[in-house]
Amino acid sequence: MRRCLFLFSMITRTRLCQAAPQRLRYRFRDNSILVHRQSYSDAPINKAQGPADLSAKTTVVNHCQWHEGWLFADSVFPIQIAKWDFRHYIGLLREESLLEIIGHRLEHIQTQGFKITSLEPYKKDGGVFIRFIYKTSDPENALKSIEHELSEAVVKHGGLPSWLGFNKGNIWMVKGTPWREDLDRYASPIVSVAFDGPDIQEQSLYELFRPFGRIQRLTVPGPVPVGTPRSTTITFSRLHSATIARNVLHGFCYTPVEGSGKTLLRTAYQRPVQAHAIRDWMSSHPKITLPLLVFLLGTLTYTVFDPIRSLMVQGKMLDWFDYREFRLYKWLRTNAFDLLAPASNHTPVPVGLANSVVWRERKEAVSAIKTYLSDFPTTIEFIHGPQGSGKTRLLETVLKDSGRKAMIIDCRALQNTTSDSQIVASLAAQTGYWPVFTFLNSVNNLIDLASVGLIGQKVGLNSSLDDQLRQILAIVGTALKGVNSSHLNATKRQIHKRERERSEKENQEYIWAKIERGVWHDGRLDCVAGNGIMSELGVGDEPMLVSDESSAPSSGSVEEKFSFGETPKRQSSQEEMEAVRSLPIVVIRNYAVKVGSNRVELLNVLAQWAAILAENQVAHVIVMSDNRENAKYLAKALPSKPLSLIALSDADSRSSISFVRQKLRDADIDVDLTSNQIVYVERLGGRSSDLESLVHQIRNGQPVEDAVENIISRGVAELRKSAFGDDVDDAKSLLWTREQAWTVLKLLSGRNEVIFSTCFSFISRISPFRFPIMTSLWSFRSRETKHHFEVWNMQNSYQLGLMKVDPL
């Protein structure tokens, strides 16, 4: 529509320009009026005349002295407020008719020889400039009388015509000089008035501009650079009033009553919003803008990014982004990849220790984990044992058998980072928290430094590591609730579908059982059979009674064989079981403080988060640690309920031998261990990682004796580095002396456990031994007899290598 109007206006203007390139002459009675088609004025101003003569020029027409003046008719065309204002093209369609009506309504005025000479449309401001001449000896009084006659004529006709089709415009006497320009300056309710001469008082300025419309605001002229005229701004309540004031008073020469001097007024539109006004205001008010910016950023984070992050965490838990779970990939793998891949005769080796019948010590641990996962969580499951005791393999086997989704958080990966931003990024990657903006930590520090210089205090954009970790884990907790709800709803739909199919099947069997006995009455047969004699084809009109069923030959009642009332109970029981199975599992691995690290706050934050999940029954939480001492963080976060502890220890000699034989048998390796080899395996101990390493080396063709010696040598190297340091400089960084470490190792070399009280005679401080506990060189536990004794025990492979360690 807009393009059609534009093309029509261009065709119309082209036709008019071909007829008269600049002016079109209309004939009214015996007068001729020129209509200017240009959107701007090219008439030069007479420089010889002074400013006082611009409002009323004199000329000679037909050897008679005439005066010349201007009128401004408003609201004839739409006021163009921007370049994209399409109303301008609608006004072009009615331009000829509007100008003709204006000429006809004003041609009857004969006061002072009034005669219109030209009509000059100024469509950008929605008006028309009317040039006229008149003959008089008193120009000032003549203009007043002409304006009065014109106003009465306009009121008589109800106003001047407008582009909307009804009369609403008025006519004004131009006091200044018309300026028809085609610059990219569009109408605005704010008019800037520049003074070419002395300043005009505020009251005089108000009285001069008030007739055109209500003024909302009038500013006082401020100081300006030398050579720049002073100016003021006048804000009208209506845009229409501003356009009239600008076109009527531009170029007006104001003479005050006191006679202090003449002032030429130059009017122009001023934009309501100046360029860079918002930026300048924000830079000049940092105490307001900076907190407001922080609030807006926080609102954006909570309203936009947090739902996205929660959705991404759910996608990671439910494998939304794992291509191996897509139906297309599964179909291609079943029908293409598996068929094209060469057949393999390799039998997969069972993974884990829980399913092995040879390791009887782990059956209780597996049973305890399954019991914890089969009920709603009320506490935290804490699995502890020496490093290499098979905690991870045991839990992986249980999770694989349960078929439930699990989120795994590895504290060791978090402890190995070097900065706070890396900890946040690592935790976000493990939980699926995205997007995360780690670079903002550095930017926030810079903003805080800049704000201290500007406003004397920090803005507070930068948050501590604890707050950032809590924020991430809070979003993850919300996502886990969504995972639980999503899985539970899907499970309920499956249960309802199965129960509906089961109910339909039982109903069909119930009907067939009655049909076989001849006691089933289907009322639809009566409609098919008809009435009278044909109704005998059906069973009859009256329904079957209980006596009919009892008289039929049968071994029992049909209803007794079908339990229709048990369906809701069965469905409710299944929903309760699935409500527990739908809970996600959160596994926190390697829950310990790294040696030399001071990030205990990480363990505290994880402990508090795990306690919230367990108390609110959001997820089952399982924490794995190498030492029982780390359970104190969880106990502090969950003070009202005891932890569920599962201890994993090394296997005995009999279980170790059975485990090795079973693993070799599963790998299709027929190795008959000799008595000497059995002794070597028994010397190795019952540590799961050592036994797995032994089986791996035997499968590679290495003799049992050499494999055991390699494992012991590796343990000696680890022991020497951890307990004594690589050199003298490295030993200085340890929190214990070499003599203290050697004394404890010497005591542990002859036995598996040593009572801690026996070390009091030569060890004056106990605190240095807390860090060796964390390095899993030895573990610390309490034995409950008549008295409480503190006991040290040590890995067997380290004991065998103590004689190879040089204490010096």
Side-chain angles (χ1 to χ4, degrees):
M1 181 64 184
R2 179 177 177 181
R3 180 176 293 181
C4 294
L5 293 174
F6 176 73
L7 293 176
F8 180 76
S9 63
M10 293 300 296
I11 294 173
T12 304
R13 298 184 68 175
T14 304
R15 179 174 57 83
L16 292 176
C17 291
Q18 290 176 355
Q22 291 186 355
R23 296 175 176 86
L24 182 65
R25 185 179 299 274
Y26 287 109
R27 182 72 60 179
F28 301 115
R29 260 184 346 195
D30 55 350
N31 300 328
S32 61
I33 301 176
L34 292 177
V35 179
H36 289 260
R37 286 291 182 181
Q38 294 182 165
S39 60
Y40 61 94
S41 176
D42 55 357
I45 299 177
N46 190 357
K47 299 296 182 180
Q49 295 177 346
D53 298 329
L54 290 176
S55 60
K57 299 180 182 179
T58 58
T59 184
V60 178
V61 181
N62 296 330
H63 305 286
C64 296
Q65 185 177 2
W66 294 81
H67 295 272
E68 184 182 75
W70 290 86
L71 300 172
F72 181 75
D74 65 271
S75 303
V76 179
F77 301 102
I79 301 175
Q80 189 174 2
I81 59 176
K83 187 177 292 185
W84 46 264
D85 193 352
F86 65 91
R87 298 178 303 167
H88 168 69
Y89 303 106
I90 300 177
L92 290 176
L93 299 177
R94 302 197 58 198
E95 179 179 356
E96 296 181 8
S97 60
L98 292 175
L99 296 179
E100 186 175 358
I101 294 174
I102 292 175
H104 279 299
R105 291 185 179 180
L106 300 181
E107 66 178 351
H108 302 287
I109 305 300
Q110 299 295 328
T111 303
Q112 303 294 333
F114 176 82
K115 182 180 180 182
I116 299 176
T117 59
S118 66
L119 300 177
E120 299 183 6
Y122 189 39
K123 292 179 286 295
K124 194 169 72 168
D125 280 357
V128 177
F129 282 106
I130 303 173
R131 178 183 292 182
F132 67 93
I133 58 176
Y134 61 98
K135 183 178 181 182
T136 184
S137 59
D138 188 3
E140 184 176 356
N141 294 328
L143 290 176
K144 292 182 179 179
S145 61
I146 292 174
E147 185 177 8
H148 178 71
E149 291 292 335
L150 290 173
S151 300
E152 290 183 350
V154 171
V155 172
K156 180 180 179 182
H157 293 87
L160 295 178
S162 67
W163 63 285
L164 293 175
F166 52 85
N167 300 330
K168 60 177 293 187
N170 200 354
I171 197 165
W172 306 84
M173 185 67 66
V174 178
K175 299 180 180 180
T177 303
W179 184 22
R180 297 171 57 245
E181 43 85 13
D182 58 350
L183 301 175
D184 288 341
R185 300 176 183 174
Y186 299 100
S188 169
I190 303 176
V191 178
S192 176
V193 182
F195 304 138
D196 190 0
D199 292 348
I200 302 177
Q201 296 181 0
E202 184 177 9
Q203 182 178 356
S204 301
L205 200 63
Y206 175 82
E207 294 174 354
L208 187 62
F209 281 86
R210 181 61 181 86
F212 307 111
R214 180 179 176 274
I215 298 176
Q216 291 182 342
R217 192 178 300 106
L218 196 154
T219 62
V220 179
V224 294
V226 179
T228 303
R230 291 163 60 85
S231 63
T232 183
T233 57
I234 301 175
T235 304
F236 288 90
S237 60
R238 298 178 58 195
L239 181 64
H240 171 257
S241 303
T243 56
I244 298 175
R246 187 262 175 194
N247 290 282
V248 171
L249 294 180
H250 177 76
F252 173 64
C253 186
Y254 176 78
T255 303
V257 180
E258 295 81 0
S260 59
K262 298 180 179 180
T263 302
L264 183 65
L265 303 181
R266 303 186 185 277
T267 60
Y269 296 119
Q270 182 174 322
R271 293 181 179 179
V273 179
Q274 297 295 321
H276 310 297
I278 299 177
R279 184 191 65 184
D280 296 340
W281 185 88
M282 293 179 64
S283 61
S284 59
H285 298 80
K287 292 185 178 181
I288 300 176
T289 57
L290 289 180
L292 183 61
L293 182 62
V294 174
F295 173 76
L296 293 177
L297 290 176
T299 304
L300 180 65
T301 300
Y302 286 113
T303 57
V304 178
F305 290 115
D306 283 358
I308 296 176
R309 290 162 178 167
S310 178
L311 189 65
M312 297 300 291
V313 174
Q314 295 184 37
K316 182 178 178 62
M317 285 289 297
L318 300 176
D319 296 330
W320 290 348
F321 311 110
D322 189 1
Y323 67 93
R324 292 170 295 184
E325 299 295 331
F326 296 164
R327 294 182 179 178
L328 179 61
Y329 177 81
K330 291 180 179 180
W331 183 87
L332 289 175
R333 183 168 183 175
T334 304
N335 297 276
F337 299 156
D338 293 345
L339 297 178
L340 297 177
S344 176
N345 296 326
H346 176 69
T347 302
V349 180
V351 179
L353 307 177
N355 293 332
S356 179
V357 296
V358 299
W359 203 307
R360 297 180 177 86
E361 290 82 356
R362 299 301 167 91
K363 291 184 179 180
E364 296 181 1
V366 172
S367 178
I369 296 175
K370 291 183 177 180
T371 303
Y372 174 73
L373 296 178
S374 62
D375 195 3
F376 287 102
T378 56
T379 184
I380 301 173
E381 189 84 3
F382 185 76
I383 304 175
H384 63 93
Q387 185 176 2
S389 58
K391 299 183 296 295
T392 303
R393 290 180 178 271
L394 177 67
L395 187 58
E396 287 178 353
T397 304
V398 175
L399 294 179
K400 184 177 181 181
D401 294 340
S402 64
R404 295 170 59 178
K405 303 295 183 180
M407 174 181 290
I408 300 176
I409 300 176
D410 192 358
C411 293
R412 183 173 298 171
L414 301 178
Q415 296 281 358
N416 291 334
T417 56
T418 58
S419 62
D420 294 347
S421 59
Q422 291 182 2
I423 292 180
V424 174
S426 178
L427 181 60
Q430 294 184 32
T431 57
Y433 181 89
W434 186 88
V436 56
F437 308 104
T438 55
F439 66 91
L440 290 180
N441 291 331
S442 301
V443 177
N444 293 337
N445 292 330
L446 296 177
I447 293 177
D448 285 340
L449 292 176
S451 63
V452 171
L454 290 175
I455 62 178
Q457 62 183 4
K458 292 184 178 181
V459 180
L461 287 176
N462 192 17
S463 57
S464 62
L465 177 62
D466 296 354
D467 295 337
Q468 297 181 45
L469 296 178
R470 287 190 177 93
Q471 181 181 3
I472 294 176
L473 295 177
I475 300 299
V476 173
T478 304
L480 292 178
K481 293 181 182 178
V483 171
N484 181 17
S485 177
S486 176
H487 188 274
L488 185 59
N489 292 334
T491 304
K492 285 184 178 180
R493 288 195 296 268
Q494 295 178 0
I495 293 175
H496 293 167
K497 182 179 179 181
R498 289 197 301 264
E499 291 298 331
R500 185 170 59 253
E501 294 176 353
R502 180 187 179 94
S503 177
E504 293 177 356
K505 184 178 180 181
E506 289 183 353
N507 190 24
Q508 292 293 333
E509 293 177 355
Y510 174 76
I511 294 175
W512 278 108
K514 281 200 168 187
I515 291 175
E516 291 176 355
R517 297 187 57 193
V519 294
W520 173 254
H521 176 206
D522 191 348
R524 292 174 296 179
L525 294 176
D526 298 336
C527 299
V528 176
N531 298 323
I533 301 175
M534 297 300 295
S535 64
E536 295 179 0
L537 296 176
V539 179
D541 295 335
E542 58 280 341
M544 286 294 179
L545 302 176
V546 180
S547 58
D548 298 331
E549 183 178 352
S550 60
S551 62
S554 176
S555 58
S557 177
V558 178
E559 282 78 3
E560 295 177 356
K561 299 180 180 180
F562 299 94
S563 56
F564 295 103
E566 296 180 0
T567 300
K569 297 180 180 179
R570 186 188 308 112
Q571 183 176 347
S572 177
S573 177
Q574 291 180 0
E575 290 181 357
E576 291 178 359
M577 295 175 58
E578 293 298 332
V580 178
R581 291 179 54 85
S582 63
L583 293 175
I585 301 175
V586 177
V587 179
I588 303 178
R589 297 172 49 189
N590 300 316
Y591 186 77
V593 179
K594 184 180 178 181
V595 179
S597 177
N598 190 19
R599 289 177 177 172
V600 183
E601 67 274 5
L602 175 62
L603 301 185
N604 291 327
V605 171
L606 290 175
Q608 296 173 4
W609 179 64
I612 293 174
L613 295 181
E615 288 181 340
N616 297 331
Q617 296 183 351
V618 177
H620 290 96
V621 183
I622 301 177
V623 181
M624 295 189 299
S625 180
D626 295 340
N627 201 286
R628 184 179 177 181
E629 185 186 9
N630 296 317
K632 64 182 182 181
Y633 303 107
L634 299 173
K636 183 179 179 181
L638 196 65
S640 60
K641 298 178 182 179
L643 300 177
S644 177
L645 301 177
I646 298 177
L648 298 182
S649 59
D650 297 340
D652 55 9
S653 299
R654 182 180 177 182
S655 298
S656 300
I657 300 299
S658 301
F659 175 77
V660 173
R661 287 176 177 174
Q662 183 65 37
K663 284 290 185 179
L664 294 176
R665 193 179 299 112
D666 294 337
D668 296 334
I669 299 177
D670 189 8
V671 177
D672 189 10
L673 298 178
T674 63
S675 58
N676 187 27
Q677 291 176 345
I678 292 176
V679 173
Y680 268 88
V681 175
E682 291 177 350
R683 291 174 57 190
L684 186 61
R687 188 64 53 88
S688 173
S689 59
D690 293 341
L691 296 178
E692 291 283 352
S693 179
L694 176 63
V695 172
H696 181 72
Q697 295 184 29
I698 293 175
R699 290 177 58 187
N700 292 334
Q702 194 171 4
V704 177
E705 294 82 358
D706 296 341
V708 172
E709 289 295 334
N710 290 335
I711 296 174
I712 294 175
S713 300
R714 185 182 59 189
V716 171
E718 294 177 0
L719 179 62
R720 180 179 297 172
K721 178 179 177 59
S722 301
F724 302 99
D726 293 333
D727 49 19
V728 178
D729 295 334
D730 192 14
K732 293 180 181 179
S733 62
L734 300 176
L735 298 180
W736 58 86
T737 63
R738 289 186 172 183
E739 290 78 7
Q740 291 175 334
W742 176 253
T743 302
V744 176
L745 293 176
K746 188 176 180 181
L747 290 173
L748 291 172
S749 62
R751 63 195 73 176
N752 292 331
E753 295 180 352
V754 176
I755 299 177
F756 186 70
S757 59
T758 59
C759 303
F760 286 166
S761 59
F762 54 87
I763 298 178
S764 58
R765 293 188 305 168
I766 303 177
S767 59
F769 290 89
R770 296 173 62 88
F771 279 88
I773 292 172
M774 298 177 185
T775 60
S776 296
L777 295 179
W778 48 74
S779 61
F780 181 77
R781 63 186 179 87
S782 60
R783 175 181 298 173
E784 192 169 321
T785 57
K786 185 176 180 181
H787 302 284
H788 292 281
F789 295 96
E790 295 170 331
V791 181
W792 298 87
N793 64 353
M794 188 176 184
Q795 187 176 348
N796 197 17
S797 60
Y798 291 157
Q799 293 178 346
L800 298 177
L802 286 177
M803 301 306 297
K804 299 181 181 180
V805 179
D806 185 6
L808 300 180

